[in-house]
């Protein structure tokens, strides 16, 4: 099986964000409009457009043939959250996707013509974000805390972000998201889960990929 294609886009460089929300469907339109801050709305729309064009490029089809098809393990299809996907000409597009936005960037991952059971999760994190007071207690397992205490002080914040990216990538792969308690999920050594190292990320960002 092919390894996932990864693409990193700057959200402000995604073209056509004002005119293109319509083809992304009514649920996405409503979600965009529910976001209070214009900058959050712009980032959401740009992330969705970037994913739409990424999917069309991987499938080598005109984007107009793709309609978003999000599936939440709890709520099912027909809404606008959960695992991203598309319908191609009305049927399921042969594509497994994941996406993550952070600090003005979007990281996209996809596998075309994947085996039906393949699942994929990707997460992009800002190293400044995982450092709030009490993070270790709400987010880390005892083993992960021991790991952090074994490394030099100055590396801890970036390692916290790295662990958090791994957790979110894994939880997107399983589809559970943060409905599962991250403090009970040890991500130091899980098969199929790794840091994204094959491409350079902007300073202050880390990323992880889960495939299984
Ligand atoms: C999945 C989750 C961890 C992502 O967190 P985040 O750091 O805020 O956001 P990111 O930018 O990294 O990722 C967002 C993307 O993850 C994907 N995603 C969301 N939920 C997902 C799930 N359950 N499984 C797989 N992928 C998911 C979507 O592509 C989403 O993009 P969108 O904002 O355009 O819809 C978080 O949203 C979560 O835990 N969600 C589950 C809880 C939930 O949605 N409850 C309400 C409905 S039951």
């Amino acid at each position: 099986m092919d390894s996932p294609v990864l693409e990193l886009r700057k959200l402000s460089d995604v073209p056509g964000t004002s005119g293109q929300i319509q083809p992304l469907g009514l649920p996405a339109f409503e979600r965009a409009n529910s976001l209070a801050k214009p900058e959050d709305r712009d980032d959401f729309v740009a992330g969705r457009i970037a994913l739409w064009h990424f999917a069309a490029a991987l499938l080598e089809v005109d984007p107009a043939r793709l309609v978003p098809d999000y599936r939440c393990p709890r709520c099912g299809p027909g809404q606008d959250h959960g695992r991203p996907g598309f319908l191609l000409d009305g049927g399921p597009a042969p594509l497994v996707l994941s996406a993550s936005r952070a600090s003005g960037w979007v990281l996209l991952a996809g596998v075309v013509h994947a085996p039906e059971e393949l699942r994929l999760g990707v997460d992009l994190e800002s190293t400044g974000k995982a450092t709030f007071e009490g993070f270790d207690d709400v987010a880390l397992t005892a083993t992960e805390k021991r790991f952090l205490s074994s490394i030099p002080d100055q590396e801890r914040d970036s390692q916290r972000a790295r662990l958090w990216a791994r957790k979110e990538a894994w939880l997107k792969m399983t589809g559970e998201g943060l409905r599962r308690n991250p403090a009970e999920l040890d991500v130091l050594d899980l098969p199929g889960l790794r840091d994204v190292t094959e491409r350079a990320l902007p300073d202050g960002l880390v990323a992880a990929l889960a495939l299984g």
Side-chain angles (χ1 to χ4, degrees):
M1 200 238 328
D2 290 342
S3 44
V5 177
L6 288 175
E7 185 175 299
L8 182 73
R9 300 278 312 262
K10 198 168 188 181
L11 290 166
S12 58
D13 290 347
V14 175
T17 47
S18 54
Q20 288 207 49
I21 183 76
Q22 229 96 13
L24 296 180
L26 186 61
F29 183 73
E30 287 175 348
R31 185 160 151 210
N33 282 338
S34 75
L35 296 169
K37 291 189 194 160
E39 58 272 26
D40 290 346
R41 203 157 50 231
D42 290 349
D43 279 0
F44 168 73
V45 172
R48 286 298 179 93
I49 289 173
L51 182 67
W52 180 38
H53 287 281
F54 176 69
L58 288 182
L59 291 164
E60 300 180 29
V61 301
D62 187 323
R65 291 172 62 192
L66 295 175
V67 172
D69 179 33
Y70 279 70
R71 281 165 194 263
C72 168
R74 180 178 289 185
C75 314
Q79 35 63 38
D80 194 62
H81 64 269
R83 209 191 289 283
F86 288 91
L87 298 176
L88 171 63
D89 301 332
L95 181 64
V96 181
L97 288 170
S98 188
S100 180
R101 285 179 278 119
S103 302
W105 294 84
V106 63
L107 181 63
L108 308 166
V111 181
V112 197
H113 300 299
E116 208 175 304
E117 67 283 1
L118 186 86
R119 300 169 310 166
L120 175 66
V122 77
D123 194 66
L124 184 66
E125 283 300 324
S126 158
T127 51
K129 201 178 145 197
T131 55
F132 61 85
E133 178 116 12
F135 171 84
D136 294 7
D137 286 330
V138 296
L140 302 183
T141 65
T143 315
E144 290 163 347
K145 287 182 199 169
R146 271 198 301 280
F147 162 74
L148 274 188
S149 62
S150 75
I151 61 173
D153 252 7
Q154 65 273 21
E155 286 175 24
R156 286 192 190 140
D157 281 350
S158 65
Q159 289 299 323
R160 282 187 179 95
R162 188 176 73 86
L163 291 172
W164 187 245
R166 284 177 165 231
K167 284 176 196 256
E168 288 208 339
W170 185 267
L171 293 174
K172 286 182 195 175
M173 182 196 77
T174 64
E176 297 161 292
L178 290 171
R179 288 189 298 268
R180 176 158 170 198
N181 181 358
E184 290 172 4
L185 173 69
D186 199 310
V187 292
L188 284 168
D189 187 18
L190 276 176
L193 177 62
R194 62 176 177 82
D195 302 329
V196 170
T197 52
E198 63 267 57
R199 56 163 312 136
L201 297 173
D203 279 352
L205 289 175
V206 291
L209 179 82
L211 189 69

